[in-house]
């Protein structure tokens, strides 16, 4: 099996990677770019390769790191993603998590730096966060190696789970309707488990993906009509619609997961 290790820069990804793989690391370059490619075997299970992805904030095709990460996720389609989230900067980090989920690859979110969170007297209800996100969430402290065993166990479980078409985070119903119409058009042209990714990218008018999917001129026009209708409904351009949907979802997740004073006793018990 192959797992991808993803996360924002400074989320503690390297610390987690070193703790998980120990001495079994190999280093090279991603094809065509000077971005370092690092892999390793899990210390606890040498049959599992952990592929470290560059630290990124987004899966947009704007930096070499983003392009390397998304090409790997879509082309190599690893069995699961272990997503390292800096729990002290959760909004920004979850913005990447929801994009990673759009790839359709099973994901486990590891909330790192929980030692710092505890020192700041903050608290998360990780069960609520998992529920709202639609993916397992584990608290870890990569620096001390805490929680990593559980994070790996959950990632193995996620990779072995039956395909679950409902594991995607759901956005606004009107946006979802547009995505599902695009999915119907591209269904025969892309792998089934990646159709949501391709549909969202076409909706964003992502140039790289538009070149990749072999649409006829009529199909291209149909997709463009769907996008134009959504833009009218939302009174916004398609790329902004997607960005806003992701942020709205992240805000809902954070509002649910941050423990407020009045439910403190409940979750601490
Ligand atoms: C320095 N807890 C705490 N408290 N810190 C952590 C944890 C954790 O669970 N995990 C990682 N860190 P990277 P990317 C540093 O390097 O793994 C720290 O970019 C310092 N360095 O030790 O590099 C980790 O690979 C001087 O901190 O992240 C590192 O994702 C003073 O988070 C930083 C203070 O981790 C980034 C910290 C010279």
């Amino acid at each position: 099996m192959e797992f991808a290790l993803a996360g924002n820069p400074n989320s503690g990804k390297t610390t987690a990677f070193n703790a998980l793989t120990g001495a079994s690391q190999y280093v090279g370059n991603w094809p065509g770019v000077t971005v370092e490619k690092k892999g390793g075997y899990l210390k606890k299970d040498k049959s599992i390769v952990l592929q470290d992805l560059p630290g990124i904030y987004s899966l947009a095709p704007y930096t070499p790191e983003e392009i390397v990460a998304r090409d790997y996720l879509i082309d190599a389609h690893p069995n699961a993603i272990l997503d390292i989230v800096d729990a002290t900067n959760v909004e920004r980090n979850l913005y990447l998590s929801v994009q990673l989920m759009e790839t359709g690859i099973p994901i486990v979110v590891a909330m790192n730096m929980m030692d710092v969170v505890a020192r700041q007297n903050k608290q998360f209800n990780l069960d609520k966060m998992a529920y709202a996100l639609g993916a397992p969430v584990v608290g870890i402290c990569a620096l001390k190696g805490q929680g990593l065993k559980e994070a790996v166990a959950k990632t193995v479980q996620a990779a072995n789970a039956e395909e679950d078409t409902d594991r995607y985070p759901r956005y606004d119903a009107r946006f979802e309707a547009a995505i599902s119409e695009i999915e119907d058009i591209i269904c025969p042209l892309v792998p089934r488990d990646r159709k949501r990714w391709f549909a969202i990218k076409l909706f964003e008018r992502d140039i790289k993906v538009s070149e990749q999917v072999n649409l006829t001129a009529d199909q291209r026009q149909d997709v463009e009509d769907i996008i134009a209708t959504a833009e009218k409904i939302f009174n916004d351009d398609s790329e902004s619609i997607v960005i806003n949907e992701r942020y709205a979802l992240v805000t809902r997740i954070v509002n649910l997961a941050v423990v407020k004073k009045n439910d403190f006793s409940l979750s601490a018990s």
Side-chain angles (χ1 to χ4, degrees):
M1 275 203 288
E2 186 157 325
F3 295 165
L5 189 67
N8 283 185
N10 284 321
S11 58
K13 209 161 53 61
T14 307
T15 311
F17 181 77
N18 290 340
L20 288 167
T21 59
S24 77
Q25 301 177 6
Y26 46 85
V27 182
N29 272 326
W30 292 95
V33 284
T34 51
V35 179
E36 187 183 78
K37 181 177 186 181
K38 232 172 26 174
Y41 296 96
L42 286 189
K43 269 200 293 202
K44 295 278 155 59
D45 184 346
K46 295 274 189 289
S47 71
I48 299 175
V49 171
L50 190 64
Q51 183 59 63
D52 189 28
L53 297 184
I56 45 172
Y57 295 107
S58 156
L59 289 178
Y62 298 133
T63 68
E65 287 79 7
E66 289 166 351
I67 292 170
V68 154
R70 64 184 238 159
D71 283 355
Y72 165 77
L73 291 172
I74 298 307
D75 299 342
H77 213 64
N79 302 86
I81 301 171
L82 178 56
D83 173 27
I84 306 294
V85 159
D86 175 358
T88 68
N89 196 354
V90 71
E91 278 94 349
R92 185 181 212 181
N93 280 246
L94 283 179
Y95 185 73
L96 175 67
S97 309
V98 296
Q99 289 182 78
L100 292 169
M101 291 184 77
E102 288 168 9
T103 63
I105 300 167
I107 183 175
V108 171
V109 169
M111 289 274 280
N112 190 29
M113 317 247 183
M114 290 303 268
D115 55 325
V116 184
V117 170
R119 278 204 300 278
Q120 291 172 343
N121 276 329
K122 281 201 330 207
Q123 224 182 337
F124 290 104
N125 185 323
L126 299 184
D127 290 338
K128 280 189 184 172
M129 182 179 260
Y131 170 75
L133 191 63
V137 179
V138 185
I140 68 165
C141 171
L143 199 59
K144 297 179 192 153
Q146 290 165 349
L148 290 174
K149 202 170 145 195
E150 191 194 349
V152 168
K154 292 253 189 222
T155 314
V156 171
Q157 223 173 40
N160 286 327
E162 293 279 306
E163 190 187 333
D164 175 4
T165 48
D166 255 353
R167 71 175 160 238
Y168 308 117
R170 295 276 163 218
Y171 299 125
D172 179 281
R174 297 163 305 169
F175 173 71
E176 290 295 344
I179 294 305
S180 121
E181 283 179 43
I182 298 176
E183 282 180 356
D184 288 345
I185 296 172
I186 62 173
C187 211
L189 304 169
V190 299
R192 210 167 68 86
D193 53 3
R194 271 152 272 186
K195 70 178 184 208
R196 184 174 171 84
W197 159 267
F198 283 103
I200 292 178
K201 291 293 144 196
L202 286 175
F203 185 90
E204 289 178 311
R205 298 198 181 89
D206 182 294
I207 292 169
K208 281 190 104 230
V209 165
S210 295
E211 284 166 359
Q212 243 174 317
V213 184
N214 249 332
L215 293 172
T216 63
D218 281 353
Q219 287 172 325
R220 214 164 275 283
Q221 189 54 52
D222 289 346
V223 169
E224 191 45 49
D225 290 346
I226 294 166
I227 301 171
T229 305
E231 287 180 321
K232 237 188 237 154
I233 293 171
F234 284 88
N235 193 24
D236 211 344
D237 67 276
S238 72
E239 207 180 343
S240 304
I241 295 171
V242 185
I243 292 171
N244 291 338
E245 286 306 314
R246 291 188 190 121
Y247 274 121
L249 176 66
V250 167
T251 305
R252 283 204 298 280
I253 296 169
V254 172
N255 285 341
L256 252 180
V258 171
V259 177
K260 312 261 173 11
K261 272 227 162 76
N262 52 2
D263 58 349
F264 182 84
S265 55
L266 198 89
S267 82
S269 61

